[in-house]
Amino acid sequence: EAAVTQSPRSKVAVTGGKVTLSCHQTNNHDYMYWYRQDTGHGLRLIHYSYVADSTEKGDIPDGYKASRPSQENFSLILELASLSQTAVYFCASSERGFYAEQFFGPGTRLTVL
Amino acid sequence: QQKVQQSPESLTVSEGAMASLNCTFSDGTSNNFRWYRQHSAKGLEVLVSIFSDGEKEEGRFTAHLNRANLHVSLHIREPQPSDSAVYLCAVSMGLLSGSFNKLTFGAGTRLAVCP
């Protein structure tokens, strides 16, 4: 059974609209992450969280907010979606620790028109 | 800032032939390296994690790390058509990462294995 799930799996949004991507993990992990992947590029870290009710900025946080209401759930929020935010978004979770493995969800394909 | 580059961008091999993928990184203090496989429309699956110079084998997948040359490679023995996917190299920037494994990813190598 998948330990990191994402919803929706795909979404079409309009420019200027609000988009919320959701992630749920059953790994009992402290850390959760949001990445985006653009065609021909690797994954880039947007936000991460190491405890409920707290989030941290990653490498490309502009235009995104994150919310961690519980250990299991982590959301990515685009308040005003833009064309440049069309991408595939991945959520991941890991235990605390430098060598801890990250476990990824299946991804959400977001298209902003 | 860490830069991770993968080569080739795409690779086609015959079933059963060895497939070799390359990854170079810019931060010589890096000591945490992973290879992931990404099938179309699916998440990432970790194949091999390597933390010191030398070789690490996980089934048909072997990683070679040479930090002096800023290079890590992945070799796939006896590849199958089901191994056709995008392979991503991920590197951690070392102790500056803090208490979690902050990864920098390469753009990937698209591997096609022909029967």
Side-chain angles (χ1 to χ4, degrees), chain A residues 9 31 33 37 40-43 48 59 90 97-102 105-106, chain B residues 31-32 34 36 38 41-43 46 49 51 92 94 99-102 105-107:
Chain A
R9 292 294 312 276
Y31 278 83
Y33 313 83
Q37 183 180 35
H41 293 81
L43 279 70
Y48 67 97
D59 295 326
F90 288 97
F98 179 68
Y99 292 100
E101 194 63 64
Q102 292 186 25
Chain B
N31 58 6
N32 193 332
R34 286 175 165 82
Y36 291 89
Q38 182 180 20
K42 292 189 178 180
V46 63
S49 300
F51 309 124
S92 173
S99 63
F100 75 98
N101 188 11
K102 185 179 184 299
F105 285 82

PDB file of all heavy atoms in Angstrom, chain A residues 9 31 33 37 40-43 48 59 90 97-102 105-106, chain B residues 31-32 34 36 38 41-43 46 49 51 92 94 99-102 105-107:
ATOM      1  N   ARG A   9      -4.236  13.936  -8.809  1.00  0.00           N
ATOM      2  CA  ARG A   9      -3.117  13.448  -9.621  1.00  0.00           C
ATOM      3  C   ARG A   9      -2.852  14.374 -10.802  1.00  0.00           C
ATOM      4  O   ARG A   9      -1.726  14.457 -11.292  1.00  0.00           O
ATOM      5  CB  ARG A   9      -3.398  12.042 -10.130  1.00  0.00           C
ATOM      6  CG  ARG A   9      -3.411  10.987  -9.030  1.00  0.00           C
ATOM      7  CD  ARG A   9      -2.015  10.816  -8.386  1.00  0.00           C
ATOM      8  NE  ARG A   9      -0.968  10.689  -9.384  1.00  0.00           N
ATOM      9  CZ  ARG A   9      -0.645   9.548  -9.971  1.00  0.00           C
ATOM     10  NH1 ARG A   9      -1.291   8.441  -9.681  1.00  0.00           N
ATOM     11  NH2 ARG A   9       0.338   9.520 -10.863  1.00  0.00           N
ATOM     12  N   TYR A  31       9.703  14.524   8.588  1.00  0.00           N
ATOM     13  CA  TYR A  31       9.940  15.469   7.511  1.00  0.00           C
ATOM     14  C   TYR A  31       9.022  15.204   6.314  1.00  0.00           C
ATOM     15  O   TYR A  31       8.796  14.054   5.928  1.00  0.00           O
ATOM     16  CB  TYR A  31      11.397  15.390   7.036  1.00  0.00           C
ATOM     17  CG  TYR A  31      12.365  16.166   7.889  1.00  0.00           C
ATOM     18  CD1 TYR A  31      12.884  15.619   9.049  1.00  0.00           C
ATOM     19  CD2 TYR A  31      12.749  17.447   7.530  1.00  0.00           C
ATOM     20  CE1 TYR A  31      13.771  16.330   9.842  1.00  0.00           C
ATOM     21  CE2 TYR A  31      13.646  18.177   8.312  1.00  0.00           C
ATOM     22  CZ  TYR A  31      14.145  17.609   9.462  1.00  0.00           C
ATOM     23  OH  TYR A  31      15.019  18.326  10.233  1.00  0.00           O
ATOM     24  N   TYR A  33       8.217  17.094   2.281  1.00  0.00           N
ATOM     25  CA  TYR A  33       8.808  18.003   1.297  1.00  0.00           C
ATOM     26  C   TYR A  33       7.859  18.201   0.122  1.00  0.00           C
ATOM     27  O   TYR A  33       7.117  17.290  -0.238  1.00  0.00           O
ATOM     28  CB  TYR A  33      10.110  17.412   0.738  1.00  0.00           C
ATOM     29  CG  TYR A  33      11.072  16.865   1.756  1.00  0.00           C
ATOM     30  CD1 TYR A  33      10.906  15.571   2.265  1.00  0.00           C
ATOM     31  CD2 TYR A  33      12.151  17.615   2.205  1.00  0.00           C
ATOM     32  CE1 TYR A  33      11.791  15.054   3.198  1.00  0.00           C
ATOM     33  CE2 TYR A  33      13.047  17.103   3.130  1.00  0.00           C
ATOM     34  CZ  TYR A  33      12.856  15.820   3.624  1.00  0.00           C
ATOM     35  OH  TYR A  33      13.739  15.306   4.552  1.00  0.00           O
ATOM     36  N   GLN A  37       9.012  19.581 -10.672  1.00  0.00           N
ATOM     37  CA  GLN A  37       9.840  19.065 -11.748  1.00  0.00           C
ATOM     38  C   GLN A  37       9.351  19.658 -13.054  1.00  0.00           C
ATOM     39  O   GLN A  37       8.191  19.493 -13.431  1.00  0.00           O
ATOM     40  CB  GLN A  37       9.791  17.536 -11.813  1.00  0.00           C
ATOM     41  CG  GLN A  37      10.698  16.945 -12.878  1.00  0.00           C
ATOM     42  CD  GLN A  37      10.629  15.430 -12.924  1.00  0.00           C
ATOM     43  OE1 GLN A  37       9.576  14.836 -12.702  1.00  0.00           O
ATOM     44  NE2 GLN A  37      11.765  14.784 -13.183  1.00  0.00           N
ATOM     45  N   GLY A  40      12.714  18.352 -18.599  1.00  0.00           N
ATOM     46  CA  GLY A  40      14.134  18.505 -18.863  1.00  0.00           C
ATOM     47  C   GLY A  40      14.950  18.994 -17.687  1.00  0.00           C
ATOM     48  O   GLY A  40      16.135  19.283 -17.823  1.00  0.00           O
ATOM     49  N   HIS A  41      14.313  19.084 -16.522  1.00  0.00           N
ATOM     50  CA  HIS A  41      15.014  19.546 -15.326  1.00  0.00           C
ATOM     51  C   HIS A  41      14.820  18.541 -14.192  1.00  0.00           C
ATOM     52  O   HIS A  41      13.894  17.760 -14.175  1.00  0.00           O
ATOM     53  CB  HIS A  41      14.510  20.917 -14.887  1.00  0.00           C
ATOM     54  CG  HIS A  41      14.853  22.004 -15.851  1.00  0.00           C
ATOM     55  ND1 HIS A  41      14.125  22.236 -16.994  1.00  0.00           N
ATOM     56  CD2 HIS A  41      15.839  22.916 -15.877  1.00  0.00           C
ATOM     57  CE1 HIS A  41      14.644  23.239 -17.650  1.00  0.00           C
ATOM     58  NE2 HIS A  41      15.692  23.675 -17.002  1.00  0.00           N
ATOM     59  N   GLY A  42      15.716  18.635 -13.250  1.00  0.00           N
ATOM     60  CA  GLY A  42      15.578  17.806 -12.064  1.00  0.00           C
ATOM     61  C   GLY A  42      14.553  18.385 -11.100  1.00  0.00           C
ATOM     62  O   GLY A  42      13.945  19.427 -11.365  1.00  0.00           O
ATOM     63  N   LEU A  43      14.374  17.736  -9.979  1.00  0.00           N
ATOM     64  CA  LEU A  43      13.443  18.214  -8.968  1.00  0.00           C
ATOM     65  C   LEU A  43      14.083  19.346  -8.174  1.00  0.00           C
ATOM     66  O   LEU A  43      15.275  19.304  -7.854  1.00  0.00           O
ATOM     67  CB  LEU A  43      13.080  17.076  -8.007  1.00  0.00           C
ATOM     68  CG  LEU A  43      12.016  16.100  -8.463  1.00  0.00           C
ATOM     69  CD1 LEU A  43      12.512  15.227  -9.604  1.00  0.00           C
ATOM     70  CD2 LEU A  43      11.559  15.226  -7.296  1.00  0.00           C
ATOM     71  N   TYR A  48       9.552  22.686   2.859  1.00  0.00           N
ATOM     72  CA  TYR A  48       9.623  21.466   3.627  1.00  0.00           C
ATOM     73  C   TYR A  48       9.154  21.742   5.050  1.00  0.00           C
ATOM     74  O   TYR A  48       8.993  22.900   5.458  1.00  0.00           O
ATOM     75  CB  TYR A  48      11.020  20.840   3.609  1.00  0.00           C
ATOM     76  CG  TYR A  48      12.084  21.646   4.325  1.00  0.00           C
ATOM     77  CD1 TYR A  48      12.446  21.366   5.632  1.00  0.00           C
ATOM     78  CD2 TYR A  48      12.757  22.665   3.657  1.00  0.00           C
ATOM     79  CE1 TYR A  48      13.433  22.085   6.278  1.00  0.00           C
ATOM     80  CE2 TYR A  48      13.739  23.410   4.294  1.00  0.00           C
ATOM     81  CZ  TYR A  48      14.074  23.117   5.602  1.00  0.00           C
ATOM     82  OH  TYR A  48      15.041  23.830   6.236  1.00  0.00           O
ATOM     83  N   ASP A  59      14.399  25.981  -1.866  1.00  0.00           N
ATOM     84  CA  ASP A  59      15.207  26.754  -2.801  1.00  0.00           C
ATOM     85  C   ASP A  59      14.386  27.691  -3.685  1.00  0.00           C
ATOM     86  O   ASP A  59      14.883  28.718  -4.143  1.00  0.00           O
ATOM     87  CB  ASP A  59      16.020  25.801  -3.683  1.00  0.00           C
ATOM     88  CG  ASP A  59      17.028  25.008  -2.882  1.00  0.00           C
ATOM     89  OD1 ASP A  59      17.565  25.547  -1.902  1.00  0.00           O
ATOM     90  OD2 ASP A  59      17.274  23.842  -3.238  1.00  0.00           O
ATOM     91  N   PHE A  90       5.913  16.959  -6.756  1.00  0.00           N
ATOM     92  CA  PHE A  90       6.112  15.737  -5.972  1.00  0.00           C
ATOM     93  C   PHE A  90       6.187  16.069  -4.496  1.00  0.00           C
ATOM     94  O   PHE A  90       6.836  17.034  -4.081  1.00  0.00           O
ATOM     95  CB  PHE A  90       7.404  15.026  -6.373  1.00  0.00           C
ATOM     96  CG  PHE A  90       7.337  14.371  -7.721  1.00  0.00           C
ATOM     97  CD1 PHE A  90       7.819  15.001  -8.842  1.00  0.00           C
ATOM     98  CD2 PHE A  90       6.794  13.097  -7.855  1.00  0.00           C
ATOM     99  CE1 PHE A  90       7.765  14.389 -10.086  1.00  0.00           C
ATOM    100  CE2 PHE A  90       6.730  12.472  -9.095  1.00  0.00           C
ATOM    101  CZ  PHE A  90       7.219  13.128 -10.208  1.00  0.00           C
ATOM    102  N   GLY A  97      17.338  13.009   9.951  1.00  0.00           N
ATOM    103  CA  GLY A  97      18.691  12.483   9.830  1.00  0.00           C
ATOM    104  C   GLY A  97      19.287  12.712   8.460  1.00  0.00           C
ATOM    105  O   GLY A  97      18.589  12.639   7.444  1.00  0.00           O
ATOM    106  N   PHE A  98      20.576  12.947   8.440  1.00  0.00           N
ATOM    107  CA  PHE A  98      21.265  13.302   7.203  1.00  0.00           C
ATOM    108  C   PHE A  98      21.216  12.182   6.181  1.00  0.00           C
ATOM    109  O   PHE A  98      21.160  12.415   4.988  1.00  0.00           O
ATOM    110  CB  PHE A  98      22.710  13.660   7.535  1.00  0.00           C
ATOM    111  CG  PHE A  98      23.528  14.014   6.329  1.00  0.00           C
ATOM    112  CD1 PHE A  98      23.261  15.160   5.617  1.00  0.00           C
ATOM    113  CD2 PHE A  98      24.549  13.189   5.906  1.00  0.00           C
ATOM    114  CE1 PHE A  98      24.006  15.483   4.502  1.00  0.00           C
ATOM    115  CE2 PHE A  98      25.300  13.508   4.796  1.00  0.00           C
ATOM    116  CZ  PHE A  98      25.028  14.662   4.095  1.00  0.00           C
ATOM    117  N   TYR A  99      21.225  10.946   6.619  1.00  0.00           N
ATOM    118  CA  TYR A  99      21.243   9.822   5.671  1.00  0.00           C
ATOM    119  C   TYR A  99      19.860   9.210   5.446  1.00  0.00           C
ATOM    120  O   TYR A  99      19.730   8.184   4.781  1.00  0.00           O
ATOM    121  CB  TYR A  99      22.219   8.747   6.155  1.00  0.00           C
ATOM    122  CG  TYR A  99      23.658   9.193   6.114  1.00  0.00           C
ATOM    123  CD1 TYR A  99      24.310   9.625   7.264  1.00  0.00           C
ATOM    124  CD2 TYR A  99      24.360   9.222   4.921  1.00  0.00           C
ATOM    125  CE1 TYR A  99      25.623  10.048   7.236  1.00  0.00           C
ATOM    126  CE2 TYR A  99      25.681   9.653   4.870  1.00  0.00           C
ATOM    127  CZ  TYR A  99      26.298  10.063   6.029  1.00  0.00           C
ATOM    128  OH  TYR A  99      27.597  10.495   5.988  1.00  0.00           O
ATOM    129  N   ALA A 100      18.852   9.857   5.983  1.00  0.00           N
ATOM    130  CA  ALA A 100      17.510   9.303   5.861  1.00  0.00           C
ATOM    131  C   ALA A 100      17.024   9.320   4.419  1.00  0.00           C
ATOM    132  O   ALA A 100      17.221  10.291   3.696  1.00  0.00           O
ATOM    133  CB  ALA A 100      16.546  10.093   6.740  1.00  0.00           C
ATOM    134  N   GLU A 101      16.382   8.247   4.039  1.00  0.00           N
ATOM    135  CA  GLU A 101      15.847   8.112   2.691  1.00  0.00           C
ATOM    136  C   GLU A 101      14.577   8.931   2.550  1.00  0.00           C
ATOM    137  O   GLU A 101      13.759   8.990   3.472  1.00  0.00           O
ATOM    138  CB  GLU A 101      15.531   6.646   2.421  1.00  0.00           C
ATOM    139  CG  GLU A 101      15.296   6.333   0.958  1.00  0.00           C
ATOM    140  CD  GLU A 101      16.532   6.596   0.142  1.00  0.00           C
ATOM    141  OE1 GLU A 101      17.547   5.906   0.376  1.00  0.00           O
ATOM    142  OE2 GLU A 101      16.489   7.501  -0.710  1.00  0.00           O
ATOM    143  N   GLN A 102      14.390   9.563   1.398  1.00  0.00           N
ATOM    144  CA  GLN A 102      13.130  10.243   1.110  1.00  0.00           C
ATOM    145  C   GLN A 102      12.256   9.326   0.262  1.00  0.00           C
ATOM    146  O   GLN A 102      12.737   8.737  -0.705  1.00  0.00           O
ATOM    147  CB  GLN A 102      13.381  11.564   0.378  1.00  0.00           C
ATOM    148  CG  GLN A 102      14.060  12.609   1.248  1.00  0.00           C
ATOM    149  CD  GLN A 102      14.186  13.950   0.575  1.00  0.00           C
ATOM    150  OE1 GLN A 102      13.424  14.288  -0.322  1.00  0.00           O
ATOM    151  NE2 GLN A 102      15.152  14.754   1.025  1.00  0.00           N
ATOM    152  N   GLY A 105       5.836  10.520  -3.404  1.00  0.00           N
ATOM    153  CA  GLY A 105       4.513  10.234  -3.912  1.00  0.00           C
ATOM    154  C   GLY A 105       4.530  10.139  -5.424  1.00  0.00           C
ATOM    155  O   GLY A 105       5.569  10.357  -6.054  1.00  0.00           O
ATOM    156  N   PRO A 106       3.380   9.854  -6.042  1.00  0.00           N
ATOM    157  CA  PRO A 106       3.317   9.630  -7.487  1.00  0.00           C
ATOM    158  C   PRO A 106       3.332  10.903  -8.319  1.00  0.00           C
ATOM    159  O   PRO A 106       3.472  10.839  -9.540  1.00  0.00           O
ATOM    160  CB  PRO A 106       1.988   8.892  -7.667  1.00  0.00           C
ATOM    161  CG  PRO A 106       1.154   9.394  -6.546  1.00  0.00           C
ATOM    162  CD  PRO A 106       2.094   9.583  -5.389  1.00  0.00           C
TER     163      PRO A 106
ATOM    164  N   ASN B  31      28.704  14.177   0.327  1.00  0.00           N
ATOM    165  CA  ASN B  31      29.030  12.811   0.733  1.00  0.00           C
ATOM    166  C   ASN B  31      27.784  11.933   0.812  1.00  0.00           C
ATOM    167  O   ASN B  31      27.745  10.949   1.554  1.00  0.00           O
ATOM    168  CB  ASN B  31      29.779  12.795   2.057  1.00  0.00           C
ATOM    169  CG  ASN B  31      28.997  13.462   3.165  1.00  0.00           C
ATOM    170  OD1 ASN B  31      27.848  13.847   2.978  1.00  0.00           O
ATOM    171  ND2 ASN B  31      29.607  13.609   4.317  1.00  0.00           N
ATOM    172  N   ASN B  32      26.776  12.299   0.045  1.00  0.00           N
ATOM    173  CA  ASN B  32      25.512  11.572   0.104  1.00  0.00           C
ATOM    174  C   ASN B  32      24.939  11.579  -1.309  1.00  0.00           C
ATOM    175  O   ASN B  32      24.553  12.629  -1.816  1.00  0.00           O
ATOM    176  CB  ASN B  32      24.586  12.302   1.086  1.00  0.00           C
ATOM    177  CG  ASN B  32      23.373  11.502   1.475  1.00  0.00           C
ATOM    178  OD1 ASN B  32      22.903  10.674   0.719  1.00  0.00           O
ATOM    179  ND2 ASN B  32      22.861  11.763   2.665  1.00  0.00           N
ATOM    180  N   ARG B  34      22.515   9.529  -4.401  1.00  0.00           N
ATOM    181  CA  ARG B  34      21.459   8.547  -4.663  1.00  0.00           C
ATOM    182  C   ARG B  34      21.117   8.539  -6.140  1.00  0.00           C
ATOM    183  O   ARG B  34      21.150   9.569  -6.806  1.00  0.00           O
ATOM    184  CB  ARG B  34      20.207   8.878  -3.844  1.00  0.00           C
ATOM    185  CG  ARG B  34      20.364   8.536  -2.360  1.00  0.00           C
ATOM    186  CD  ARG B  34      19.164   8.978  -1.557  1.00  0.00           C
ATOM    187  NE  ARG B  34      19.135   8.371  -0.235  1.00  0.00           N
ATOM    188  CZ  ARG B  34      19.817   8.803   0.809  1.00  0.00           C
ATOM    189  NH1 ARG B  34      20.590   9.859   0.703  1.00  0.00           N
ATOM    190  NH2 ARG B  34      19.727   8.182   1.973  1.00  0.00           N
ATOM    191  N   TYR B  36      17.909   7.490  -8.571  1.00  0.00           N
ATOM    192  CA  TYR B  36      16.483   7.187  -8.580  1.00  0.00           C
ATOM    193  C   TYR B  36      16.059   6.792  -9.991  1.00  0.00           C
ATOM    194  O   TYR B  36      16.637   7.245 -10.985  1.00  0.00           O
ATOM    195  CB  TYR B  36      15.651   8.413  -8.179  1.00  0.00           C
ATOM    196  CG  TYR B  36      15.776   8.841  -6.747  1.00  0.00           C
ATOM    197  CD1 TYR B  36      16.757   9.739  -6.341  1.00  0.00           C
ATOM    198  CD2 TYR B  36      14.886   8.358  -5.784  1.00  0.00           C
ATOM    199  CE1 TYR B  36      16.855  10.144  -5.020  1.00  0.00           C
ATOM    200  CE2 TYR B  36      14.976   8.765  -4.458  1.00  0.00           C
ATOM    201  CZ  TYR B  36      15.959   9.657  -4.094  1.00  0.00           C
ATOM    202  OH  TYR B  36      16.051  10.064  -2.775  1.00  0.00           O
ATOM    203  N   GLN B  38      12.595   6.823 -12.446  1.00  0.00           N
ATOM    204  CA  GLN B  38      11.280   7.440 -12.553  1.00  0.00           C
ATOM    205  C   GLN B  38      10.602   6.915 -13.805  1.00  0.00           C
ATOM    206  O   GLN B  38      10.934   7.305 -14.920  1.00  0.00           O
ATOM    207  CB  GLN B  38      11.397   8.969 -12.614  1.00  0.00           C
ATOM    208  CG  GLN B  38      10.059   9.680 -12.668  1.00  0.00           C
ATOM    209  CD  GLN B  38      10.200  11.191 -12.730  1.00  0.00           C
ATOM    210  OE1 GLN B  38      11.252  11.717 -13.104  1.00  0.00           O
ATOM    211  NE2 GLN B  38       9.146  11.905 -12.364  1.00  0.00           N
ATOM    212  N   ALA B  41       4.903   9.006 -15.467  1.00  0.00           N
ATOM    213  CA  ALA B  41       3.713   9.279 -14.665  1.00  0.00           C
ATOM    214  C   ALA B  41       3.720   8.578 -13.309  1.00  0.00           C
ATOM    215  O   ALA B  41       2.670   8.322 -12.731  1.00  0.00           O
ATOM    216  CB  ALA B  41       2.444   8.896 -15.422  1.00  0.00           C
ATOM    217  N   LYS B  42       4.919   8.289 -12.818  1.00  0.00           N
ATOM    218  CA  LYS B  42       5.006   7.668 -11.494  1.00  0.00           C
ATOM    219  C   LYS B  42       6.039   8.405 -10.653  1.00  0.00           C
ATOM    220  O   LYS B  42       6.786   9.244 -11.125  1.00  0.00           O
ATOM    221  CB  LYS B  42       5.376   6.187 -11.622  1.00  0.00           C
ATOM    222  CG  LYS B  42       4.284   5.353 -12.262  1.00  0.00           C
ATOM    223  CD  LYS B  42       4.612   3.875 -12.173  1.00  0.00           C
ATOM    224  CE  LYS B  42       3.484   3.051 -12.772  1.00  0.00           C
ATOM    225  NZ  LYS B  42       3.764   1.596 -12.700  1.00  0.00           N
ATOM    226  N   GLY B  43       6.065   8.060  -9.389  1.00  0.00           N
ATOM    227  CA  GLY B  43       7.011   8.683  -8.474  1.00  0.00           C
ATOM    228  C   GLY B  43       8.411   8.146  -8.638  1.00  0.00           C
ATOM    229  O   GLY B  43       8.705   7.360  -9.538  1.00  0.00           O
ATOM    230  N   VAL B  46      14.066   4.795  -5.316  1.00  0.00           N
ATOM    231  CA  VAL B  46      15.502   4.817  -5.072  1.00  0.00           C
ATOM    232  C   VAL B  46      16.104   3.474  -5.459  1.00  0.00           C
ATOM    233  O   VAL B  46      15.556   2.408  -5.148  1.00  0.00           O
ATOM    234  CB  VAL B  46      15.808   5.168  -3.602  1.00  0.00           C
ATOM    235  CG1 VAL B  46      15.265   4.131  -2.653  1.00  0.00           C
ATOM    236  CG2 VAL B  46      17.294   5.388  -3.405  1.00  0.00           C
ATOM    237  N   SER B  49      22.009   3.981  -2.904  1.00  0.00           N
ATOM    238  CA  SER B  49      22.530   5.102  -2.119  1.00  0.00           C
ATOM    239  C   SER B  49      23.985   4.807  -1.811  1.00  0.00           C
ATOM    240  O   SER B  49      24.317   3.681  -1.423  1.00  0.00           O
ATOM    241  CB  SER B  49      21.733   5.264  -0.811  1.00  0.00           C
ATOM    242  OG  SER B  49      20.369   5.507  -1.070  1.00  0.00           O
ATOM    243  N   PHE B  51      27.682   6.522   0.004  1.00  0.00           N
ATOM    244  CA  PHE B  51      28.140   7.592   0.888  1.00  0.00           C
ATOM    245  C   PHE B  51      29.658   7.705   0.962  1.00  0.00           C
ATOM    246  O   PHE B  51      30.185   8.611   1.605  1.00  0.00           O
ATOM    247  CB  PHE B  51      27.586   7.392   2.302  1.00  0.00           C
ATOM    248  CG  PHE B  51      26.103   7.167   2.347  1.00  0.00           C
ATOM    249  CD1 PHE B  51      25.575   6.039   2.949  1.00  0.00           C
ATOM    250  CD2 PHE B  51      25.227   8.066   1.765  1.00  0.00           C
ATOM    251  CE1 PHE B  51      24.195   5.815   2.984  1.00  0.00           C
ATOM    252  CE2 PHE B  51      23.852   7.856   1.797  1.00  0.00           C
ATOM    253  CZ  PHE B  51      23.345   6.722   2.407  1.00  0.00           C
ATOM    254  N   SER B  92      23.693  15.305  -2.036  1.00  0.00           N
ATOM    255  CA  SER B  92      23.500  16.147  -0.872  1.00  0.00           C
ATOM    256  C   SER B  92      24.732  17.006  -0.654  1.00  0.00           C
ATOM    257  O   SER B  92      25.859  16.551  -0.859  1.00  0.00           O
ATOM    258  CB  SER B  92      23.230  15.303   0.364  1.00  0.00           C
ATOM    259  OG  SER B  92      23.194  16.124   1.507  1.00  0.00           O
ATOM    260  N   GLY B  94      26.309  17.927   1.817  1.00  0.00           N
ATOM    261  CA  GLY B  94      27.166  17.697   2.967  1.00  0.00           C
ATOM    262  C   GLY B  94      26.612  18.272   4.239  1.00  0.00           C
ATOM    263  O   GLY B  94      25.421  18.493   4.379  1.00  0.00           O
ATOM    264  N   SER B  99      19.876  18.982   9.464  1.00  0.00           N
ATOM    265  CA  SER B  99      19.436  17.703  10.013  1.00  0.00           C
ATOM    266  C   SER B  99      18.628  16.879   9.022  1.00  0.00           C
ATOM    267  O   SER B  99      18.041  15.888   9.395  1.00  0.00           O
ATOM    268  CB  SER B  99      18.601  17.937  11.261  1.00  0.00           C
ATOM    269  OG  SER B  99      17.435  18.670  10.930  1.00  0.00           O
ATOM    270  N   PHE B 100      18.552  17.292   7.783  1.00  0.00           N
ATOM    271  CA  PHE B 100      17.867  16.449   6.826  1.00  0.00           C
ATOM    272  C   PHE B 100      18.677  16.374   5.546  1.00  0.00           C
ATOM    273  O   PHE B 100      19.630  17.106   5.346  1.00  0.00           O
ATOM    274  CB  PHE B 100      16.443  16.942   6.544  1.00  0.00           C
ATOM    275  CG  PHE B 100      16.380  18.166   5.653  1.00  0.00           C
ATOM    276  CD1 PHE B 100      16.125  18.060   4.295  1.00  0.00           C
ATOM    277  CD2 PHE B 100      16.545  19.427   6.187  1.00  0.00           C
ATOM    278  CE1 PHE B 100      16.051  19.185   3.489  1.00  0.00           C
ATOM    279  CE2 PHE B 100      16.471  20.558   5.386  1.00  0.00           C
ATOM    280  CZ  PHE B 100      16.225  20.426   4.034  1.00  0.00           C
ATOM    281  N   ASN B 101      18.263  15.447   4.710  1.00  0.00           N
ATOM    282  CA  ASN B 101      19.009  15.133   3.505  1.00  0.00           C
ATOM    283  C   ASN B 101      18.561  16.055   2.379  1.00  0.00           C
ATOM    284  O   ASN B 101      17.694  15.703   1.592  1.00  0.00           O
ATOM    285  CB  ASN B 101      18.742  13.672   3.150  1.00  0.00           C
ATOM    286  CG  ASN B 101      19.619  13.192   2.037  1.00  0.00           C
ATOM    287  OD1 ASN B 101      20.560  13.843   1.646  1.00  0.00           O
ATOM    288  ND2 ASN B 101      19.299  12.017   1.515  1.00  0.00           N
ATOM    289  N   LYS B 102      19.128  17.258   2.297  1.00  0.00           N
ATOM    290  CA  LYS B 102      18.727  18.221   1.275  1.00  0.00           C
ATOM    291  C   LYS B 102      19.371  17.830  -0.038  1.00  0.00           C
ATOM    292  O   LYS B 102      20.581  17.923  -0.203  1.00  0.00           O
ATOM    293  CB  LYS B 102      19.135  19.637   1.677  1.00  0.00           C
ATOM    294  CG  LYS B 102      18.646  20.711   0.716  1.00  0.00           C
ATOM    295  CD  LYS B 102      19.061  22.078   1.186  1.00  0.00           C
ATOM    296  CE  LYS B 102      18.505  23.171   0.309  1.00  0.00           C
ATOM    297  NZ  LYS B 102      18.986  23.058  -1.075  1.00  0.00           N
ATOM    298  N   PHE B 105      19.107  17.647  -7.471  1.00  0.00           N
ATOM    299  CA  PHE B 105      18.908  16.650  -8.514  1.00  0.00           C
ATOM    300  C   PHE B 105      19.509  17.092  -9.835  1.00  0.00           C
ATOM    301  O   PHE B 105      19.515  18.284 -10.176  1.00  0.00           O
ATOM    302  CB  PHE B 105      17.403  16.419  -8.745  1.00  0.00           C
ATOM    303  CG  PHE B 105      16.738  15.619  -7.674  1.00  0.00           C
ATOM    304  CD1 PHE B 105      16.315  16.220  -6.502  1.00  0.00           C
ATOM    305  CD2 PHE B 105      16.528  14.259  -7.841  1.00  0.00           C
ATOM    306  CE1 PHE B 105      15.692  15.491  -5.502  1.00  0.00           C
ATOM    307  CE2 PHE B 105      15.898  13.523  -6.852  1.00  0.00           C
ATOM    308  CZ  PHE B 105      15.491  14.139  -5.686  1.00  0.00           C
ATOM    309  N   GLY B 106      19.984  16.103 -10.604  1.00  0.00           N
ATOM    310  CA  GLY B 106      20.302  16.341 -11.991  1.00  0.00           C
ATOM    311  C   GLY B 106      19.039  16.298 -12.836  1.00  0.00           C
ATOM    312  O   GLY B 106      17.956  15.967 -12.335  1.00  0.00           O
ATOM    313  N   ALA B 107      19.188  16.633 -14.120  1.00  0.00           N
ATOM    314  CA  ALA B 107      18.033  16.693 -15.022  1.00  0.00           C
ATOM    315  C   ALA B 107      17.587  15.320 -15.508  1.00  0.00           C
ATOM    316  O   ALA B 107      16.493  15.179 -16.047  1.00  0.00           O
ATOM    317  CB  ALA B 107      18.336  17.596 -16.212  1.00  0.00           C
TER     318      ALA B 107
END
